Amino acid sequence: MEAGAAGLLLAALMVVVGWPAAAASLDTSPVPFQAGYMPLFGGDNLVRSPGGRSVRLKLDRRTGSGFVSKSAYHHGYFSASIKLPDDHTAGVVVAFLSNADVYPRNHDEVDFELLGNRRGHEWRVQTNVYGNGSTSRGREERYLLPFDPTLRPHAYAVAWTPTAVVFYVDGAPIREVVRAPAMGGDFPSKPMSVYATIWDGSAWATEGGRYKVDYAHAPFAADFSRLVLAGCPPAGGGARCAVAVMTAEFAVMTPAKRAAMRRFRRRHLLYTVCHDRYRYNGTVFPECDDAERDDFHKWGESKRVSPGRRGYRRQQQPRADKAAAGGRPSTWPTIGTLRAD
C-alpha cells in the first residue's frame, strides 16, 4: 500500500472510531516477563532474573531455549534489549520475532535473526518479512552493526501496522517495508505471537553453514531485558487500536528518520533481496527502493560494505575476480528460511 493509500485508510479509520478515540496512544513501557510472556522450550536453559525484568536464554549440547508471548497481537510495537554471547559463536542464532505459527501452511512472520560468527568476527543481523507462507519469495536483508552487541544490551524493535513494517535498532530505523497492492498476501496480516529463541543454526547461519556451532564454547547465553508488548488484540481492538498504532511515533516515518535510515543502510547493509537477480531473477519486489540498486552486485551483495574483523570496511570497487567472472562470488550469503522454534 503506497503512502497515499495508507493516508486514505487512516482517515477512514478515524472517521469510524471518531477523532478522540483516534488520539489514544499505546503504552510502550517494558513489561515484567511473567506479565507478558511464558517459557516455550528449553527447561532450565531459560533463567529469569530475581525481579522478573530480564531473562537469559542458553544454548548447549542438550537444547536451545525460548519464550513466547501469552497473547497474540494484530499489529503493534514489539521490542527487546538483547546482549549477545561473546567469543566463538559461529552457527548460533538468536531470534526475536512475531510468528503466526497457528497457520502452518500459510503463516506470516516478521523478525530479527542475530547470527553468530567465528572468534574475532562480528555478529550479523538479518531481518525477514513473510506473508501467507511466502518463504520462496523471502524478503531477507542482512546487516553489520555499528557497535559490539556483546558488550551491553541494545534495543531491537519492530513496528507492524496495517500499512508498513519498520525495523529499529537502538531507536534508529534500519528498514521500512511499505505495503504495496502488488504484494498481495505477501504482506503479513494475520495475528501473531511474539517469540524469543536461541538455537543451533549450523546448517546455514555462518557463511552458508561453513562454520558450525562448536559446543566446546557452550553454553551460549543471550540476555533479554526491557520487553515491550504494545499491540492490538486479535479481537476487541478493531479500528480504534489500528489508528493508535498507525499514528504512534514509532509508525510515522518523518523525513529525518528516513534520512537516518538511508545513512545506516549505506554504511551497514551487506545483502538485500531487492537487488538479488540470482535467486529472484524476474521477481519484482514492489516495496524496494530502486535508488539503491547501483550500490549492489547482481547477487544482492553490497559494493560498499563488506565484513571484516570486529567492524566493517568499505569497498570502493568490486574485486577484480568478481568483475571479470561476472558471476556469483564464493562468499555470497546463503540465507536460510527461519525456523519457528
Side-chain angles (χ1 to χ4, degrees), residues 1-2 129 137-141 163 165 175-183 186-187 265 272-274 284-290 292:
M1 184 176 294
E2 297 173 353
V129 177
R137 298 180 300 283
R139 287 170 156 82
E140 308 100 335
E141 289 193 341
T163 59
V165 175
R175 183 183 185 187
E176 179 186 24
V177 178
V178 177
R179 187 175 191 172
M183 292 177 73
D186 284 4
F187 188 85
R265 293 171 69 81
T272 176
V273 65
C274 289
V284 176
F285 294 97
E287 73 278 11
C288 291
D289 183 0
D290 280 340
E292 295 180 332

Side-chain angles (χ1 to χ4, degrees), residues 17 73 158 171 214 219 304 307 314:
V17 303
Y73 299 91
V158 173
D214 183 351
R304 288 175 169 265
R314 297 289 180 91

Side-chain angles (χ1 to χ4, degrees), residues 2-292:
E2 297 173 353
L8 290 174
L9 174 59
L10 178 57
L13 289 171
M14 286 181 172
V15 170
V16 170
V17 303
W19 176 251
S25 61
L26 292 175
D27 183 2
T28 57
S29 303
V31 300
F33 177 84
Q34 188 65 29
Y37 287 97
M38 58 186 177
L40 179 65
F41 73 101
D44 58 7
N45 272 6
L46 184 154
V47 183
R48 305 180 210 184
S49 67
R53 290 283 175 177
S54 63
V55 180
R56 172 166 288 183
L57 297 182
K58 295 190 291 184
L59 167 68
D60 58 24
R61 292 182 187 273
R62 298 179 299 114
T63 183
S65 53
F67 57 87
V68 61
S69 61
K70 292 181 175 180
S71 301
Y73 299 91
H74 199 195
H75 309 116
Y77 178 79
F78 312 104
S79 177
S81 291
I82 306 171
K83 182 177 180 290
L84 296 171
D86 199 2
D87 202 37
H88 185 91
T89 55
V92 176
V93 179
V94 176
F96 180 67
L97 60 115
S98 298
N99 191 324
D101 60 354
V102 295
Y103 306 93
R105 297 185 181 275
N106 61 344
H107 78 286
D108 294 355
E109 198 169 285
V110 178
D111 71 341
F112 281 98
E113 288 180 314
L114 309 168
L115 310 177
N117 214 328
R118 292 170 290 154
R119 178 186 288 115
H121 292 258
E122 65 273 76
W123 279 77
R124 303 179 192 186
V125 178
Q126 181 168 305
T127 60
N128 302 306
V129 177
Y130 301 130
N132 211 33
S134 60
T135 53
S136 63
R137 298 180 300 283
R139 287 170 156 82
E140 308 100 335
E141 289 193 341
R142 192 173 287 191
Y143 323 79
L144 296 179
L145 289 168
F147 51 76
D148 185 341
T150 70
L151 296 179
R152 64 178 181 85
H154 291 270
Y156 304 85
V158 173
W160 170 42
T161 79
T163 59
V165 175
V166 183
F167 294 88
Y168 289 89
V169 175
D170 283 344
I174 67 168
R175 183 183 185 187
E176 179 186 24
V177 178
V178 177
R179 187 175 191 172
M183 292 177 73
D186 284 4
F187 188 85
S189 58
K190 302 180 185 69
M192 292 192 274
S193 299
V194 182
Y195 292 77
T197 57
I198 185 170
W199 46 279
D200 186 330
S202 291
W204 65 274
T206 306
E207 296 192 29
R210 181 179 178 186
Y211 297 99
K212 316 293 185 184
V213 174
D214 183 351
Y215 285 103
H217 299 275
F220 305 98
D223 294 329
F224 287 75
S225 58
R226 298 192 61 81
L227 303 169
V228 175
L229 287 169
C232 300
R240 181 176 302 179
C241 190
V243 170
V245 168
M246 293 176 69
T247 56
E249 186 278 334
F250 57 73
V252 178
M253 288 293 285
T254 63
K257 287 169 72 172
R258 283 207 173 93
M261 180 177 70
R262 292 189 183 102
R263 285 194 298 272
F264 180 95
R265 293 171 69 81
R266 282 196 301 270
R267 296 170 180 169
H268 304 292
L269 180 58
L270 282 172
Y271 167 87
T272 176
V273 65
C274 289
H275 308 306
D276 188 340
R277 287 167 283 165
Y278 269 90
R279 294 176 68 208
Y280 299 105
N281 186 29
T283 299
V284 176
F285 294 97
E287 73 278 11
C288 291
D289 183 0
D290 280 340
E292 295 180 332

Side-chain angles (χ1 to χ4, degrees), residues 310-323:
R310 290 297 187 192
Y312 70 88
R313 60 178 182 272
R314 297 289 180 91
Q315 268 184 217
Q316 299 300 324
Q317 297 293 334
R319 288 201 298 269
D321 58 336
K322 288 184 187 176

